[in-house]
Amino acid sequence: MERIIRLLAVAMLLNTSCTKEFLDKKPNKSLVVPSSLENFQAILDNSFNVFGVSPFMNQIADGDFYVTENGIPSLANLSRNIYLWQDDIYEGATSTDWNRMYEQVFYANIVLEGLEKIKGNPDQRYIDRLRGTALFCRAYAYYNLAQEFTPPYHAERAASDLGLPLRTSADVNSHPNRASLQDTYQLMIDDLQQAELLLPITVEPKTRPTKAAAWALLARITLSMADYETALHAADKALSFQNDLMNFNTLDTVAASPFPSGRSVYNKEIIYYTDRITNTFFNSANTRVVEDLYDLYDDNDLRKLIFFNNGRFKGSYGGSALFIFTGLATDELYLIRAECYARAGRTAEARDDLTQLMRTRWKKDRIYNVPTDLEDGEVLQMILSERRKELLTRGTRWSDLRRLNQEEMFKTSLKRNYQGVEYLLSPGDPRYVFPIAMDELELGGIEQNPR
């Protein structure tokens, strides 16, 4: 550990490709000495190992993919236990998702505290951008943690439901108790409202957030809260900064990777880039999209060819099976806005947003139109179906299930079969909240999620 701490002081002066060793550890904050704006930029730019990483457990559990009977035994224990919705998923091991997200919180707090100590620096715009980035990253980390380790948000219960331990300082010796769910979400919202004022309109690369990213993340968060009025406003604001859509007719449908590949080449829909933690579940050749989801894609829908090859997913905006995109993009915003319009009774506007998106996904010799004779509820159902199909592997499905299972008409039961046994995840099941690993419970003395 002492060697890692010494490396930290030196590595802040180097580029981000040299920061992996110390950023993958938990240093003693009292000995961390970043002090310049370049140091803080280096911390925030470590997207490959820290800030650009998203959780994976929710995507294994969300039911959109299955593993063949022969492939399940080859899964890592954690992946297999999550896949079968077991009560004890860790078997004594630690939680990668929990640790990775709190690592992001830790480094965001390092930057926020360090910037407070910068005196006499004339580049206030640079300081503002760094502070805005750190606030955005902290909000994003807490959002991801909340989708896995706290109950679905319900306004009437949020003040009493268990939220997260909210770490707003970089002191690793501080072990706060779990805040309420209401306070957990309020911290995210407060962080993003501050960040939006500080972030630039444009920036490169897209692993750095912008004003559009702040509004897009706020739209995603408030949608998960079923706060549809705020989500509509946030999605609309984000689209006012960036609203491009790709025409899928310009893509090679038979290519192994139809989208631009890697973290340095982005398609025009991407607002903020993150991707999923590498995991054996998705790397397995035995992992396939479930048939009922695949069958939802119309034959005129180019996504059926662009997203899949023999049932295996190939359509990540990361452009590779190694980089499964989970970030923020304009297609998600059109769907958020359309859903919120539909829920507000603004059906014509909901149809317009859905049509605008889907005409870029439809074969060019076929015209896509939302039928005008649909009831309001049918339009909403159609939007939610397209949301599931469009945002496959983005990490949003688990959050959607948790949210929509609170509405009678959208409740969904998930089923798996393995070795003649049926595994069921019903709406409202406590397993929609992952347990906290034992090592964290013992370290922080926090309360476990009920099972």
Side-chain angles (χ1 to χ4, degrees):
M1 175 62 77
E2 289 181 1
R3 176 172 177 270
I4 299 300
I5 293 166
R6 290 196 302 271
L7 281 173
L8 181 55
V10 175
M12 292 299 174
L13 303 177
L14 305 178
N15 64 40
T16 56
S17 64
C18 299
T19 62
K20 181 180 186 301
E21 185 171 6
F22 71 84
L23 285 175
D24 282 346
K25 307 275 184 193
K26 290 183 178 178
N28 181 335
K29 189 261 176 182
S30 66
L31 297 177
V32 173
V33 292
S35 59
S36 72
L37 299 186
E38 289 74 18
N39 293 167
F40 299 128
Q41 185 71 75
I43 294 175
L44 296 171
D45 277 345
N46 191 355
S47 63
F48 191 81
N49 299 308
V50 180
F51 288 110
V53 177
S54 295
F56 68 86
M57 295 197 303
N58 55 356
Q59 295 196 49
I60 295 175
D62 70 13
D64 279 348
F65 287 85
Y66 75 96
V67 179
T68 62
E69 185 92 2
N70 293 334
I72 292 176
S74 66
L75 293 174
N77 289 348
L78 176 60
S79 295
R80 184 169 60 252
N81 290 336
I82 296 168
Y83 180 74
L84 298 175
W85 305 306
Q86 299 296 293
D87 285 331
D88 180 12
I89 59 176
Y90 303 116
E91 298 183 5
T94 190
S95 171
T96 302
D97 281 3
W98 177 281
N99 290 341
R100 285 282 194 168
M101 296 307 105
Y102 270 110
E103 185 179 39
Q104 293 176 8
V105 170
F106 171 78
Y107 284 106
N109 286 333
I110 284 280
V111 172
L112 291 170
E113 291 184 1
L115 290 173
E116 290 297 321
K117 299 173 184 177
I118 297 289
K119 304 296 182 183
N121 191 300
D123 199 347
Q124 188 61 46
R125 185 178 297 179
Y126 192 9
I127 292 174
D128 287 348
R129 179 164 62 79
L130 292 172
R131 182 176 288 111
T133 299
L135 289 166
F136 172 91
C137 290
R138 187 169 71 179
Y140 209 158
Y142 277 132
Y143 166 78
N144 283 326
L145 284 163
Q147 302 319 296
E148 293 195 339
F149 298 105
T150 72
Y153 193 93
H154 192 289
E156 295 179 359
R157 300 191 300 263
S160 57
D161 280 345
L162 283 174
L164 296 166
L166 298 179
R167 300 173 186 169
T168 55
S169 87
D171 183 0
V172 296
N173 296 312
S174 173
H175 301 292
N177 293 324
R178 297 181 69 171
S180 71
L181 192 62
Q182 181 173 293
D183 287 346
T184 297
Y185 276 82
Q186 192 60 54
L187 178 62
M188 301 177 212
I189 293 169
D190 290 346
D191 278 355
L192 288 174
Q193 288 176 337
Q194 293 179 64
E196 192 277 333
L197 298 174
L198 300 169
L199 290 170
I201 295 176
T202 61
V203 69
E204 291 294 340
K206 290 188 177 182
T207 50
R208 295 178 178 178
T210 59
K211 289 184 182 298
W215 284 112
L217 181 54
L218 183 61
R220 186 184 280 188
I221 290 171
T222 51
L223 185 77
S224 75
M225 300 168 68
D227 181 357
Y228 299 113
E229 182 178 356
T230 303
L232 172 58
H233 173 71
D236 194 54
K237 288 288 290 186
L239 286 167
S240 73
F241 289 105
Q242 183 174 339
N243 60 10
D244 294 325
L245 290 170
M246 287 180 288
N247 187 335
F248 278 24
N249 286 280
T250 65
L251 301 176
D252 184 354
T253 59
V254 300
S257 299
F259 298 100
S261 180
R263 285 167 166 254
S264 59
V265 181
Y266 309 99
N267 72 60
K268 65 182 182 178
E269 291 187 10
I270 293 177
I271 296 172
Y272 179 74
Y273 186 92
T274 62
D275 53 40
R276 192 188 56 231
I277 297 172
T278 301
N279 182 269
T280 56
F281 177 83
F282 291 97
N283 292 340
S284 171
N286 298 300
T287 300
R288 299 282 190 276
V289 64
V290 295
E291 290 185 10
D292 71 313
L293 173 53
Y294 182 79
D295 290 343
L296 291 177
Y297 293 89
D298 190 278
D299 287 341
N300 292 315
D301 189 340
L302 289 165
R303 295 173 300 185
K304 196 168 189 176
L305 300 173
I306 288 170
F307 284 1
F308 305 106
N309 180 22
N310 294 323
R312 296 202 67 200
F313 183 72
K314 65 170 186 172
S316 169
Y317 277 14
S320 167
L322 298 176
F323 302 112
I324 303 298
F325 176 74
T326 57
L328 304 166
T330 55
D331 58 343
E332 179 182 356
L333 292 171
Y334 279 99
L335 289 163
I336 290 175
R337 193 169 68 176
E339 179 182 345
C340 295
Y341 276 145
R343 289 182 178 276
R346 299 166 65 175
T347 308
E349 291 158 295
R351 284 196 186 96
D352 287 345
D353 270 349
L354 183 59
T355 300
Q356 187 170 352
L357 172 66
M358 290 303 299
R359 284 184 176 176
T360 66
R361 273 54 177 160
W362 224 241
K363 291 180 179 179
K364 61 185 178 183
D365 57 345
R366 297 289 187 269
I367 300 297
Y368 178 91
N369 284 302
V370 179
T372 57
D373 59 346
L374 296 180
E375 299 290 335
D376 289 354
E378 292 175 310
V379 173
L380 177 59
Q381 183 67 65
M382 192 173 188
I383 292 167
L384 292 174
S385 177
E386 293 304 334
R387 178 175 170 83
R388 183 186 180 195
K389 290 186 284 181
E390 177 71 18
L391 304 181
L392 185 65
T393 75
R394 302 278 183 91
T396 56
R397 178 60 179 169
W398 184 250
S399 179
D400 284 349
L401 287 166
R402 287 159 41 100
R403 169 174 65 98
L404 296 171
N405 277 338
Q406 299 182 67
E407 300 181 56
E408 192 62 39
M409 68 180 296
F410 297 126
K411 286 184 176 180
T412 301
S413 292
L414 304 181
K415 295 179 182 180
R416 310 274 202 200
N417 288 282
Y418 178 51
Q419 295 182 337
V421 177
E422 182 178 83
Y423 297 84
L424 177 68
L425 187 66
S426 301
D429 194 295
R431 289 170 296 174
Y432 268 107
V433 186
F434 291 112
I436 299 170
M438 188 58 63
D439 61 341
E440 188 62 36
L441 296 176
E442 293 173 350
L443 176 66
I446 59 177
E447 188 174 345
Q448 177 62 282
N449 289 317
R451 306 306 285 166

